[in-house]
PDB file of all heavy atoms in Angstrom:
ATOM      1  N   TYR J  17      -2.248 -45.381  64.539  1.00  0.00           N
ATOM      2  CA  TYR J  17      -1.840 -46.607  65.275  1.00  0.00           C
ATOM      3  C   TYR J  17      -2.549 -47.769  64.581  1.00  0.00           C
ATOM      4  O   TYR J  17      -3.701 -48.125  64.860  1.00  0.00           O
ATOM      5  CB  TYR J  17      -2.307 -46.454  66.659  1.00  0.00           C
ATOM      6  CG  TYR J  17      -1.501 -45.436  67.498  1.00  0.00           C
ATOM      7  CD1 TYR J  17      -1.847 -44.042  67.505  1.00  0.00           C
ATOM      8  CD2 TYR J  17      -0.333 -45.741  68.185  1.00  0.00           C
ATOM      9  CE1 TYR J  17      -1.161 -43.083  68.093  1.00  0.00           C
ATOM     10  CE2 TYR J  17       0.429 -44.840  68.871  1.00  0.00           C
ATOM     11  CZ  TYR J  17      -0.028 -43.489  68.869  1.00  0.00           C
ATOM     12  OH  TYR J  17       0.653 -42.535  69.502  1.00  0.00           O
ATOM     13  N   PRO J  18      -1.851 -48.443  63.642  1.00  0.00           N
ATOM     14  CA  PRO J  18      -2.480 -49.415  62.773  1.00  0.00           C
ATOM     15  C   PRO J  18      -3.118 -50.586  63.529  1.00  0.00           C
ATOM     16  O   PRO J  18      -4.214 -51.019  63.150  1.00  0.00           O
ATOM     17  CB  PRO J  18      -1.336 -49.847  61.840  1.00  0.00           C
ATOM     18  CG  PRO J  18      -0.424 -48.766  61.832  1.00  0.00           C
ATOM     19  CD  PRO J  18      -0.480 -48.144  63.175  1.00  0.00           C
ATOM     20  N   ARG J  19      -2.407 -51.145  64.521  1.00  0.00           N
ATOM     21  CA  ARG J  19      -2.919 -52.247  65.217  1.00  0.00           C
ATOM     22  C   ARG J  19      -4.190 -51.995  66.065  1.00  0.00           C
ATOM     23  O   ARG J  19      -5.183 -52.693  65.957  1.00  0.00           O
ATOM     24  CB  ARG J  19      -1.909 -52.901  66.074  1.00  0.00           C
ATOM     25  CG  ARG J  19      -0.801 -53.611  65.306  1.00  0.00           C
ATOM     26  CD  ARG J  19       0.224 -54.269  66.236  1.00  0.00           C
ATOM     27  NE  ARG J  19       1.107 -53.266  66.870  1.00  0.00           N
ATOM     28  CZ  ARG J  19       2.168 -52.711  66.299  1.00  0.00           C
ATOM     29  NH1 ARG J  19       2.553 -53.083  65.036  1.00  0.00           N
ATOM     30  NH2 ARG J  19       2.883 -51.774  66.894  1.00  0.00           N
ATOM     31  N   VAL J  20      -4.132 -50.798  66.717  1.00  0.00           N
ATOM     32  CA  VAL J  20      -5.279 -50.366  67.553  1.00  0.00           C
ATOM     33  C   VAL J  20      -6.435 -50.036  66.556  1.00  0.00           C
ATOM     34  O   VAL J  20      -7.583 -50.399  66.792  1.00  0.00           O
ATOM     35  CB  VAL J  20      -4.940 -49.147  68.381  1.00  0.00           C
ATOM     36  CG1 VAL J  20      -6.152 -48.594  69.037  1.00  0.00           C
ATOM     37  CG2 VAL J  20      -3.880 -49.540  69.455  1.00  0.00           C
ATOM     38  N   ARG J  21      -6.084 -49.301  65.520  1.00  0.00           N
ATOM     39  CA  ARG J  21      -7.170 -48.918  64.550  1.00  0.00           C
ATOM     40  C   ARG J  21      -7.857 -50.155  63.922  1.00  0.00           C
ATOM     41  O   ARG J  21      -9.026 -50.199  63.782  1.00  0.00           O
ATOM     42  CB  ARG J  21      -6.424 -48.146  63.422  1.00  0.00           C
ATOM     43  CG  ARG J  21      -7.367 -47.570  62.296  1.00  0.00           C
ATOM     44  CD  ARG J  21      -6.565 -46.945  61.246  1.00  0.00           C
ATOM     45  NE  ARG J  21      -5.750 -47.965  60.484  1.00  0.00           N
ATOM     46  CZ  ARG J  21      -4.559 -47.731  59.871  1.00  0.00           C
ATOM     47  NH1 ARG J  21      -3.941 -46.587  60.003  1.00  0.00           N
ATOM     48  NH2 ARG J  21      -3.952 -48.683  59.192  1.00  0.00           N
ATOM     49  N   PHE J  22      -7.014 -51.230  63.585  1.00  0.00           N
ATOM     50  CA  PHE J  22      -7.652 -52.404  63.007  1.00  0.00           C
ATOM     51  C   PHE J  22      -8.559 -53.111  63.870  1.00  0.00           C
ATOM     52  O   PHE J  22      -9.701 -53.437  63.526  1.00  0.00           O
ATOM     53  CB  PHE J  22      -6.454 -53.308  62.642  1.00  0.00           C
ATOM     54  CG  PHE J  22      -6.847 -54.625  62.032  1.00  0.00           C
ATOM     55  CD1 PHE J  22      -7.155 -54.701  60.684  1.00  0.00           C
ATOM     56  CD2 PHE J  22      -7.007 -55.794  62.756  1.00  0.00           C
ATOM     57  CE1 PHE J  22      -7.540 -55.935  60.141  1.00  0.00           C
ATOM     58  CE2 PHE J  22      -7.405 -56.960  62.314  1.00  0.00           C
ATOM     59  CZ  PHE J  22      -7.750 -57.079  60.900  1.00  0.00           C
ATOM     60  N   GLU J  23      -8.201 -53.244  65.176  1.00  0.00           N
ATOM     61  CA  GLU J  23      -9.001 -53.905  66.125  1.00  0.00           C
ATOM     62  C   GLU J  23     -10.333 -53.143  66.404  1.00  0.00           C
ATOM     63  O   GLU J  23     -11.368 -53.711  66.583  1.00  0.00           O
ATOM     64  CB  GLU J  23      -8.224 -54.286  67.450  1.00  0.00           C
ATOM     65  CG  GLU J  23      -7.150 -55.261  67.260  1.00  0.00           C
ATOM     66  CD  GLU J  23      -7.661 -56.610  66.796  1.00  0.00           C
ATOM     67  OE1 GLU J  23      -8.767 -56.945  67.044  1.00  0.00           O
ATOM     68  OE2 GLU J  23      -6.826 -57.382  66.192  1.00  0.00           O
ATOM     69  N   LEU J  24     -10.076 -51.828  66.627  1.00  0.00           N
ATOM     70  CA  LEU J  24     -11.226 -50.983  66.988  1.00  0.00           C
ATOM     71  C   LEU J  24     -12.270 -50.979  65.819  1.00  0.00           C
ATOM     72  O   LEU J  24     -13.507 -51.071  66.071  1.00  0.00           O
ATOM     73  CB  LEU J  24     -10.734 -49.590  67.264  1.00  0.00           C
ATOM     74  CG  LEU J  24     -11.799 -48.612  67.802  1.00  0.00           C
ATOM     75  CD1 LEU J  24     -11.271 -47.701  68.885  1.00  0.00           C
ATOM     76  CD2 LEU J  24     -12.518 -47.816  66.749  1.00  0.00           C
ATOM     77  N   MET J  25     -11.817 -50.838  64.581  1.00  0.00           N
ATOM     78  CA  MET J  25     -12.755 -50.839  63.444  1.00  0.00           C
ATOM     79  C   MET J  25     -13.545 -52.196  63.322  1.00  0.00           C
ATOM     80  O   MET J  25     -14.607 -52.202  62.908  1.00  0.00           O
ATOM     81  CB  MET J  25     -12.073 -50.435  62.193  1.00  0.00           C
ATOM     82  CG  MET J  25     -11.622 -48.957  62.145  1.00  0.00           C
ATOM     83  SD  MET J  25     -12.932 -47.770  62.599  1.00  0.00           S
ATOM     84  CE  MET J  25     -14.119 -48.119  61.274  1.00  0.00           C
ATOM     85  N   ASN J  26     -12.805 -53.282  63.686  1.00  0.00           N
ATOM     86  CA  ASN J  26     -13.462 -54.588  63.598  1.00  0.00           C
ATOM     87  C   ASN J  26     -14.572 -54.628  64.646  1.00  0.00           C
ATOM     88  O   ASN J  26     -15.686 -55.121  64.347  1.00  0.00           O
ATOM     89  CB  ASN J  26     -12.438 -55.705  63.879  1.00  0.00           C
ATOM     90  CG  ASN J  26     -11.584 -56.003  62.714  1.00  0.00           C
ATOM     91  OD1 ASN J  26     -11.765 -55.623  61.576  1.00  0.00           O
ATOM     92  ND2 ASN J  26     -10.500 -56.776  63.019  1.00  0.00           N
ATOM     93  N   LEU J  27     -14.303 -54.016  65.800  1.00  0.00           N
ATOM     94  CA  LEU J  27     -15.335 -53.982  66.865  1.00  0.00           C
ATOM     95  C   LEU J  27     -16.457 -53.092  66.390  1.00  0.00           C
ATOM     96  O   LEU J  27     -17.694 -53.498  66.580  1.00  0.00           O
ATOM     97  CB  LEU J  27     -14.788 -53.345  68.124  1.00  0.00           C
ATOM     98  CG  LEU J  27     -13.914 -54.289  68.983  1.00  0.00           C
ATOM     99  CD1 LEU J  27     -13.275 -53.410  70.141  1.00  0.00           C
ATOM    100  CD2 LEU J  27     -14.766 -55.352  69.650  1.00  0.00           C
ATOM    101  N   LEU J  28     -16.235 -51.967  65.751  1.00  0.00           N
ATOM    102  CA  LEU J  28     -17.323 -51.069  65.400  1.00  0.00           C
ATOM    103  C   LEU J  28     -18.209 -51.779  64.254  1.00  0.00           C
ATOM    104  O   LEU J  28     -19.415 -51.673  64.402  1.00  0.00           O
ATOM    105  CB  LEU J  28     -16.689 -49.794  64.829  1.00  0.00           C
ATOM    106  CG  LEU J  28     -17.728 -48.730  64.430  1.00  0.00           C
ATOM    107  CD1 LEU J  28     -18.583 -48.288  65.645  1.00  0.00           C
ATOM    108  CD2 LEU J  28     -17.062 -47.485  63.817  1.00  0.00           C
ATOM    109  N   VAL J  29     -17.543 -52.297  63.296  1.00  0.00           N
ATOM    110  CA  VAL J  29     -18.329 -52.896  62.214  1.00  0.00           C
ATOM    111  C   VAL J  29     -19.127 -54.102  62.738  1.00  0.00           C
ATOM    112  O   VAL J  29     -20.278 -54.312  62.375  1.00  0.00           O
ATOM    113  CB  VAL J  29     -17.460 -53.308  61.029  1.00  0.00           C
ATOM    114  CG1 VAL J  29     -18.225 -54.191  60.026  1.00  0.00           C
ATOM    115  CG2 VAL J  29     -16.910 -51.995  60.405  1.00  0.00           C
ATOM    116  N   ALA J  30     -18.581 -54.892  63.636  1.00  0.00           N
ATOM    117  CA  ALA J  30     -19.284 -56.008  64.223  1.00  0.00           C
ATOM    118  C   ALA J  30     -20.529 -55.489  64.948  1.00  0.00           C
ATOM    119  O   ALA J  30     -21.593 -56.102  64.862  1.00  0.00           O
ATOM    120  CB  ALA J  30     -18.428 -56.771  65.211  1.00  0.00           C
ATOM    121  N   LYS J  31     -20.402 -54.396  65.750  1.00  0.00           N
ATOM    122  CA  LYS J  31     -21.621 -53.792  66.376  1.00  0.00           C
ATOM    123  C   LYS J  31     -22.604 -53.236  65.453  1.00  0.00           C
ATOM    124  O   LYS J  31     -23.782 -53.289  65.645  1.00  0.00           O
ATOM    125  CB  LYS J  31     -21.096 -52.794  67.402  1.00  0.00           C
ATOM    126  CG  LYS J  31     -20.316 -53.391  68.515  1.00  0.00           C
ATOM    127  CD  LYS J  31     -20.994 -54.550  69.291  1.00  0.00           C
ATOM    128  CE  LYS J  31     -22.404 -54.185  69.860  1.00  0.00           C
ATOM    129  NZ  LYS J  31     -22.989 -55.301  70.570  1.00  0.00           N
ATOM    130  N   ILE J  32     -22.153 -52.711  64.338  1.00  0.00           N
ATOM    131  CA  ILE J  32     -23.030 -52.181  63.304  1.00  0.00           C
ATOM    132  C   ILE J  32     -23.894 -53.265  62.751  1.00  0.00           C
ATOM    133  O   ILE J  32     -25.127 -53.182  62.644  1.00  0.00           O
ATOM    134  CB  ILE J  32     -22.252 -51.423  62.129  1.00  0.00           C
ATOM    135  CG1 ILE J  32     -21.625 -50.137  62.608  1.00  0.00           C
ATOM    136  CG2 ILE J  32     -23.086 -51.190  60.913  1.00  0.00           C
ATOM    137  CD1 ILE J  32     -20.609 -49.525  61.727  1.00  0.00           C
ATOM    138  N   PHE J  33     -23.244 -54.410  62.401  1.00  0.00           N
ATOM    139  CA  PHE J  33     -24.089 -55.566  61.836  1.00  0.00           C
ATOM    140  C   PHE J  33     -24.979 -56.117  62.903  1.00  0.00           C
ATOM    141  O   PHE J  33     -26.154 -56.439  62.630  1.00  0.00           O
ATOM    142  CB  PHE J  33     -23.037 -56.666  61.390  1.00  0.00           C
ATOM    143  CG  PHE J  33     -22.326 -56.374  60.159  1.00  0.00           C
ATOM    144  CD1 PHE J  33     -21.103 -56.777  59.889  1.00  0.00           C
ATOM    145  CD2 PHE J  33     -22.950 -55.696  59.111  1.00  0.00           C
ATOM    146  CE1 PHE J  33     -20.390 -56.479  58.696  1.00  0.00           C
ATOM    147  CE2 PHE J  33     -22.293 -55.338  57.864  1.00  0.00           C
ATOM    148  CZ  PHE J  33     -21.016 -55.814  57.722  1.00  0.00           C
ATOM    149  N   GLU J  34     -24.489 -56.145  64.171  1.00  0.00           N
ATOM    150  CA  GLU J  34     -25.370 -56.689  65.246  1.00  0.00           C
ATOM    151  C   GLU J  34     -26.517 -55.789  65.498  1.00  0.00           C
ATOM    152  O   GLU J  34     -27.679 -56.269  65.714  1.00  0.00           O
ATOM    153  CB  GLU J  34     -24.530 -56.869  66.462  1.00  0.00           C
ATOM    154  CG  GLU J  34     -25.254 -57.324  67.718  1.00  0.00           C
ATOM    155  CD  GLU J  34     -24.489 -57.341  68.911  1.00  0.00           C
ATOM    156  OE1 GLU J  34     -23.232 -57.611  68.872  1.00  0.00           O
ATOM    157  OE2 GLU J  34     -25.027 -57.031  70.005  1.00  0.00           O
ATOM    158  N   HIS J  35     -26.321 -54.485  65.545  1.00  0.00           N
ATOM    159  CA  HIS J  35     -27.331 -53.481  65.888  1.00  0.00           C
ATOM    160  C   HIS J  35     -28.359 -53.198  64.744  1.00  0.00           C
ATOM    161  O   HIS J  35     -29.490 -53.195  64.945  1.00  0.00           O
ATOM    162  CB  HIS J  35     -26.644 -52.215  66.301  1.00  0.00           C
ATOM    163  CG  HIS J  35     -27.532 -51.190  66.850  1.00  0.00           C
ATOM    164  ND1 HIS J  35     -28.050 -51.196  68.106  1.00  0.00           N
ATOM    165  CD2 HIS J  35     -28.130 -50.069  66.310  1.00  0.00           C
ATOM    166  CE1 HIS J  35     -28.832 -50.124  68.339  1.00  0.00           C
ATOM    167  NE2 HIS J  35     -28.893 -49.445  67.247  1.00  0.00           N
ATOM    168  N   PHE J  36     -27.798 -53.086  63.579  1.00  0.00           N
ATOM    169  CA  PHE J  36     -28.709 -52.642  62.441  1.00  0.00           C
ATOM    170  C   PHE J  36     -29.021 -53.747  61.495  1.00  0.00           C
ATOM    171  O   PHE J  36     -30.036 -53.703  60.733  1.00  0.00           O
ATOM    172  CB  PHE J  36     -27.991 -51.507  61.631  1.00  0.00           C
ATOM    173  CG  PHE J  36     -27.785 -50.201  62.372  1.00  0.00           C
ATOM    174  CD1 PHE J  36     -26.521 -49.824  62.750  1.00  0.00           C
ATOM    175  CD2 PHE J  36     -28.898 -49.426  62.667  1.00  0.00           C
ATOM    176  CE1 PHE J  36     -26.348 -48.646  63.417  1.00  0.00           C
ATOM    177  CE2 PHE J  36     -28.726 -48.233  63.290  1.00  0.00           C
ATOM    178  CZ  PHE J  36     -27.433 -47.808  63.687  1.00  0.00           C
ATOM    179  N   GLY J  37     -28.094 -54.787  61.388  1.00  0.00           N
ATOM    180  CA  GLY J  37     -28.304 -55.875  60.377  1.00  0.00           C
ATOM    181  C   GLY J  37     -27.275 -55.817  59.346  1.00  0.00           C
ATOM    182  O   GLY J  37     -26.615 -54.828  59.150  1.00  0.00           O
ATOM    183  N   TYR J  38     -27.087 -56.935  58.617  1.00  0.00           N
ATOM    184  CA  TYR J  38     -26.049 -57.132  57.663  1.00  0.00           C
ATOM    185  C   TYR J  38     -26.429 -56.433  56.280  1.00  0.00           C
ATOM    186  O   TYR J  38     -25.500 -56.011  55.551  1.00  0.00           O
ATOM    187  CB  TYR J  38     -25.763 -58.583  57.322  1.00  0.00           C
ATOM    188  CG  TYR J  38     -24.989 -59.221  58.477  1.00  0.00           C
ATOM    189  CD1 TYR J  38     -25.647 -59.698  59.567  1.00  0.00           C
ATOM    190  CD2 TYR J  38     -23.577 -59.219  58.394  1.00  0.00           C
ATOM    191  CE1 TYR J  38     -24.934 -60.338  60.607  1.00  0.00           C
ATOM    192  CE2 TYR J  38     -22.882 -59.813  59.416  1.00  0.00           C
ATOM    193  CZ  TYR J  38     -23.532 -60.355  60.549  1.00  0.00           C
ATOM    194  OH  TYR J  38     -22.754 -60.969  61.537  1.00  0.00           O
ATOM    195  N   GLU J  39     -27.665 -56.292  56.024  1.00  0.00           N
ATOM    196  CA  GLU J  39     -28.092 -55.693  54.677  1.00  0.00           C
ATOM    197  C   GLU J  39     -28.878 -54.373  54.914  1.00  0.00           C
ATOM    198  O   GLU J  39     -29.846 -54.052  54.152  1.00  0.00           O
ATOM    199  CB  GLU J  39     -28.895 -56.613  53.921  1.00  0.00           C
ATOM    200  CG  GLU J  39     -28.223 -57.925  53.577  1.00  0.00           C
ATOM    201  CD  GLU J  39     -27.031 -57.768  52.676  1.00  0.00           C
ATOM    202  OE1 GLU J  39     -26.979 -56.747  51.964  1.00  0.00           O
ATOM    203  OE2 GLU J  39     -26.111 -58.550  52.643  1.00  0.00           O
ATOM    204  N   ALA J  40     -28.563 -53.632  55.969  1.00  0.00           N
ATOM    205  CA  ALA J  40     -29.314 -52.454  56.327  1.00  0.00           C
ATOM    206  C   ALA J  40     -28.944 -51.207  55.565  1.00  0.00           C
ATOM    207  O   ALA J  40     -29.726 -50.220  55.519  1.00  0.00           O
ATOM    208  CB  ALA J  40     -29.187 -52.198  57.850  1.00  0.00           C
ATOM    209  N   PHE J  41     -27.746 -51.171  54.942  1.00  0.00           N
ATOM    210  CA  PHE J  41     -27.269 -49.957  54.328  1.00  0.00           C
ATOM    211  C   PHE J  41     -26.734 -50.272  52.877  1.00  0.00           C
ATOM    212  O   PHE J  41     -26.333 -51.269  52.519  1.00  0.00           O
ATOM    213  CB  PHE J  41     -26.085 -49.408  55.114  1.00  0.00           C
ATOM    214  CG  PHE J  41     -26.570 -49.045  56.545  1.00  0.00           C
ATOM    215  CD1 PHE J  41     -26.191 -49.784  57.719  1.00  0.00           C
ATOM    216  CD2 PHE J  41     -27.366 -47.931  56.774  1.00  0.00           C
ATOM    217  CE1 PHE J  41     -26.597 -49.553  58.964  1.00  0.00           C
ATOM    218  CE2 PHE J  41     -27.889 -47.597  58.052  1.00  0.00           C
ATOM    219  CZ  PHE J  41     -27.475 -48.400  59.146  1.00  0.00           C
ATOM    220  N   ASP J  42     -26.743 -49.159  52.067  1.00  0.00           N
ATOM    221  CA  ASP J  42     -26.226 -49.127  50.697  1.00  0.00           C
ATOM    222  C   ASP J  42     -25.021 -48.224  50.623  1.00  0.00           C
ATOM    223  O   ASP J  42     -24.381 -48.241  49.525  1.00  0.00           O
ATOM    224  CB  ASP J  42     -27.339 -48.616  49.715  1.00  0.00           C
ATOM    225  CG  ASP J  42     -28.691 -49.421  49.967  1.00  0.00           C
ATOM    226  OD1 ASP J  42     -28.706 -50.617  49.743  1.00  0.00           O
ATOM    227  OD2 ASP J  42     -29.722 -48.669  50.290  1.00  0.00           O
ATOM    228  N   ASN J  43     -24.789 -47.373  51.535  1.00  0.00           N
ATOM    229  CA  ASN J  43     -23.677 -46.297  51.415  1.00  0.00           C
ATOM    230  C   ASN J  43     -23.231 -46.088  52.885  1.00  0.00           C
ATOM    231  O   ASN J  43     -24.080 -46.032  53.804  1.00  0.00           O
ATOM    232  CB  ASN J  43     -24.278 -45.131  50.680  1.00  0.00           C
ATOM    233  CG  ASN J  43     -23.243 -44.150  50.331  1.00  0.00           C
ATOM    234  OD1 ASN J  43     -22.304 -43.823  51.048  1.00  0.00           O
ATOM    235  ND2 ASN J  43     -23.422 -43.636  49.102  1.00  0.00           N
ATOM    236  N   VAL J  44     -21.955 -45.687  53.013  1.00  0.00           N
ATOM    237  CA  VAL J  44     -21.401 -45.213  54.244  1.00  0.00           C
ATOM    238  C   VAL J  44     -20.870 -43.808  54.021  1.00  0.00           C
ATOM    239  O   VAL J  44     -20.069 -43.627  53.148  1.00  0.00           O
ATOM    240  CB  VAL J  44     -20.293 -46.138  54.806  1.00  0.00           C
ATOM    241  CG1 VAL J  44     -19.666 -45.581  56.076  1.00  0.00           C
ATOM    242  CG2 VAL J  44     -20.813 -47.570  55.054  1.00  0.00           C
ATOM    243  N   ALA J  45     -21.313 -42.834  54.814  1.00  0.00           N
ATOM    244  CA  ALA J  45     -20.850 -41.504  54.729  1.00  0.00           C
ATOM    245  C   ALA J  45     -20.131 -41.074  55.910  1.00  0.00           C
ATOM    246  O   ALA J  45     -20.606 -41.356  57.037  1.00  0.00           O
ATOM    247  CB  ALA J  45     -22.092 -40.618  54.483  1.00  0.00           C
ATOM    248  N   GLY J  46     -19.069 -40.326  55.794  1.00  0.00           N
ATOM    249  CA  GLY J  46     -18.309 -39.728  56.867  1.00  0.00           C
ATOM    250  C   GLY J  46     -18.542 -38.237  56.832  1.00  0.00           C
ATOM    251  O   GLY J  46     -18.787 -37.611  55.815  1.00  0.00           O
ATOM    252  N   GLY J  47     -18.470 -37.701  58.043  1.00  0.00           N
ATOM    253  CA  GLY J  47     -18.607 -36.192  58.198  1.00  0.00           C
ATOM    254  C   GLY J  47     -17.351 -35.551  58.118  1.00  0.00           C
ATOM    255  O   GLY J  47     -16.297 -35.997  58.687  1.00  0.00           O
ATOM    256  N   GLU J  48     -17.210 -34.353  57.416  1.00  0.00           N
ATOM    257  CA  GLU J  48     -15.968 -33.694  57.334  1.00  0.00           C
ATOM    258  C   GLU J  48     -15.530 -33.082  58.681  1.00  0.00           C
ATOM    259  O   GLU J  48     -16.391 -32.614  59.379  1.00  0.00           O
ATOM    260  CB  GLU J  48     -16.259 -32.460  56.365  1.00  0.00           C
ATOM    261  CG  GLU J  48     -15.025 -31.558  56.141  1.00  0.00           C
ATOM    262  CD  GLU J  48     -15.399 -30.256  55.420  1.00  0.00           C
ATOM    263  OE1 GLU J  48     -16.576 -29.926  55.343  1.00  0.00           O
ATOM    264  OE2 GLU J  48     -14.443 -29.575  55.000  1.00  0.00           O
ATOM    265  N   THR J  49     -14.282 -33.248  59.042  1.00  0.00           N
ATOM    266  CA  THR J  49     -13.259 -33.999  58.419  1.00  0.00           C
ATOM    267  C   THR J  49     -12.934 -35.357  59.229  1.00  0.00           C
ATOM    268  O   THR J  49     -12.457 -36.248  58.646  1.00  0.00           O
ATOM    269  CB  THR J  49     -11.960 -33.162  58.262  1.00  0.00           C
ATOM    270  OG1 THR J  49     -11.516 -32.731  59.590  1.00  0.00           O
ATOM    271  CG2 THR J  49     -12.082 -32.091  57.364  1.00  0.00           C
ATOM    272  N   ALA J  50     -13.199 -35.274  60.469  1.00  0.00           N
ATOM    273  CA  ALA J  50     -12.708 -36.309  61.325  1.00  0.00           C
ATOM    274  C   ALA J  50     -13.385 -37.694  61.044  1.00  0.00           C
ATOM    275  O   ALA J  50     -12.847 -38.743  61.272  1.00  0.00           O
ATOM    276  CB  ALA J  50     -12.938 -35.979  62.854  1.00  0.00           C
ATOM    277  N   GLY J  51     -14.644 -37.619  60.528  1.00  0.00           N
ATOM    278  CA  GLY J  51     -15.374 -38.804  60.230  1.00  0.00           C
ATOM    279  C   GLY J  51     -14.885 -39.618  58.951  1.00  0.00           C
ATOM    280  O   GLY J  51     -15.254 -40.743  58.794  1.00  0.00           O
ATOM    281  N   ILE J  52     -14.130 -38.865  58.072  1.00  0.00           N
ATOM    282  CA  ILE J  52     -13.894 -39.476  56.768  1.00  0.00           C
ATOM    283  C   ILE J  52     -12.989 -40.724  56.859  1.00  0.00           C
ATOM    284  O   ILE J  52     -13.450 -41.726  56.244  1.00  0.00           O
ATOM    285  CB  ILE J  52     -13.233 -38.378  55.896  1.00  0.00           C
ATOM    286  CG1 ILE J  52     -14.170 -37.288  55.560  1.00  0.00           C
ATOM    287  CG2 ILE J  52     -12.664 -39.011  54.584  1.00  0.00           C
ATOM    288  CD1 ILE J  52     -13.552 -36.061  54.841  1.00  0.00           C
ATOM    289  N   PRO J  53     -11.924 -40.766  57.624  1.00  0.00           N
ATOM    290  CA  PRO J  53     -11.129 -42.005  57.674  1.00  0.00           C
ATOM    291  C   PRO J  53     -11.989 -43.141  58.229  1.00  0.00           C
ATOM    292  O   PRO J  53     -11.758 -44.297  57.781  1.00  0.00           O
ATOM    293  CB  PRO J  53      -9.971 -41.652  58.489  1.00  0.00           C
ATOM    294  CG  PRO J  53     -10.264 -40.429  59.198  1.00  0.00           C
ATOM    295  CD  PRO J  53     -11.285 -39.659  58.355  1.00  0.00           C
ATOM    296  N   PHE J  54     -12.721 -42.861  59.316  1.00  0.00           N
ATOM    297  CA  PHE J  54     -13.495 -43.947  59.914  1.00  0.00           C
ATOM    298  C   PHE J  54     -14.592 -44.470  59.035  1.00  0.00           C
ATOM    299  O   PHE J  54     -14.824 -45.692  58.988  1.00  0.00           O
ATOM    300  CB  PHE J  54     -14.134 -43.417  61.212  1.00  0.00           C
ATOM    301  CG  PHE J  54     -13.022 -43.068  62.211  1.00  0.00           C
ATOM    302  CD1 PHE J  54     -12.722 -41.741  62.456  1.00  0.00           C
ATOM    303  CD2 PHE J  54     -12.356 -44.007  62.965  1.00  0.00           C
ATOM    304  CE1 PHE J  54     -11.682 -41.361  63.325  1.00  0.00           C
ATOM    305  CE2 PHE J  54     -11.348 -43.646  63.867  1.00  0.00           C
ATOM    306  CZ  PHE J  54     -11.077 -42.318  64.055  1.00  0.00           C
ATOM    307  N   ALA J  55     -15.193 -43.550  58.199  1.00  0.00           N
ATOM    308  CA  ALA J  55     -16.218 -44.032  57.284  1.00  0.00           C
ATOM    309  C   ALA J  55     -15.529 -44.885  56.196  1.00  0.00           C
ATOM    310  O   ALA J  55     -16.142 -45.862  55.663  1.00  0.00           O
ATOM    311  CB  ALA J  55     -16.954 -42.841  56.602  1.00  0.00           C
ATOM    312  N   ALA J  56     -14.376 -44.491  55.692  1.00  0.00           N
ATOM    313  CA  ALA J  56     -13.711 -45.201  54.647  1.00  0.00           C
ATOM    314  C   ALA J  56     -13.259 -46.614  55.205  1.00  0.00           C
ATOM    315  O   ALA J  56     -13.518 -47.620  54.487  1.00  0.00           O
ATOM    316  CB  ALA J  56     -12.421 -44.436  54.247  1.00  0.00           C
ATOM    317  N   LEU J  57     -12.794 -46.757  56.430  1.00  0.00           N
ATOM    318  CA  LEU J  57     -12.423 -48.024  57.001  1.00  0.00           C
ATOM    319  C   LEU J  57     -13.712 -48.939  57.202  1.00  0.00           C
ATOM    320  O   LEU J  57     -13.606 -50.079  56.959  1.00  0.00           O
ATOM    321  CB  LEU J  57     -11.714 -47.752  58.294  1.00  0.00           C
ATOM    322  CG  LEU J  57     -10.257 -47.202  58.241  1.00  0.00           C
ATOM    323  CD1 LEU J  57      -9.892 -46.565  59.541  1.00  0.00           C
ATOM    324  CD2 LEU J  57      -9.363 -48.154  57.671  1.00  0.00           C
ATOM    325  N   ALA J  58     -14.777 -48.319  57.647  1.00  0.00           N
ATOM    326  CA  ALA J  58     -16.000 -49.069  57.881  1.00  0.00           C
ATOM    327  C   ALA J  58     -16.588 -49.523  56.570  1.00  0.00           C
ATOM    328  O   ALA J  58     -16.970 -50.716  56.449  1.00  0.00           O
ATOM    329  CB  ALA J  58     -17.002 -48.232  58.652  1.00  0.00           C
ATOM    330  N   ALA J  59     -16.598 -48.664  55.503  1.00  0.00           N
ATOM    331  CA  ALA J  59     -17.172 -49.023  54.209  1.00  0.00           C
ATOM    332  C   ALA J  59     -16.331 -50.220  53.605  1.00  0.00           C
ATOM    333  O   ALA J  59     -16.932 -51.043  52.974  1.00  0.00           O
ATOM    334  CB  ALA J  59     -17.091 -47.813  53.321  1.00  0.00           C
TER     335      ALA J  59
END
């Protein structure tokens, strides 16, 4: 669901920056298998 996916990932990344900071990470990893697309979208 592209529109829902787009908005939800925007929310998730906004909360990641708010919670952890903008320069807190060097790499984004997804867990096999369900986490892989979400990690790719977040990265």
Side-chain angles (χ1 to χ4, degrees):
Y17 293 85
R19 287 180 290 275
V20 173
R21 182 186 71 210
F22 179 83
E23 293 299 335
L24 188 144
M25 291 308 301
N26 284 345
L27 283 172
L28 183 62
V29 170
K31 293 308 298 183
I32 289 169
F33 287 146
E34 177 186 326
H35 186 79
F36 294 109
Y38 285 86
E39 300 295 338
F41 300 106
D42 309 301
N43 192 317
V44 177
E48 181 190 14
T49 55
I52 293 173
F54 296 100
L57 292 164

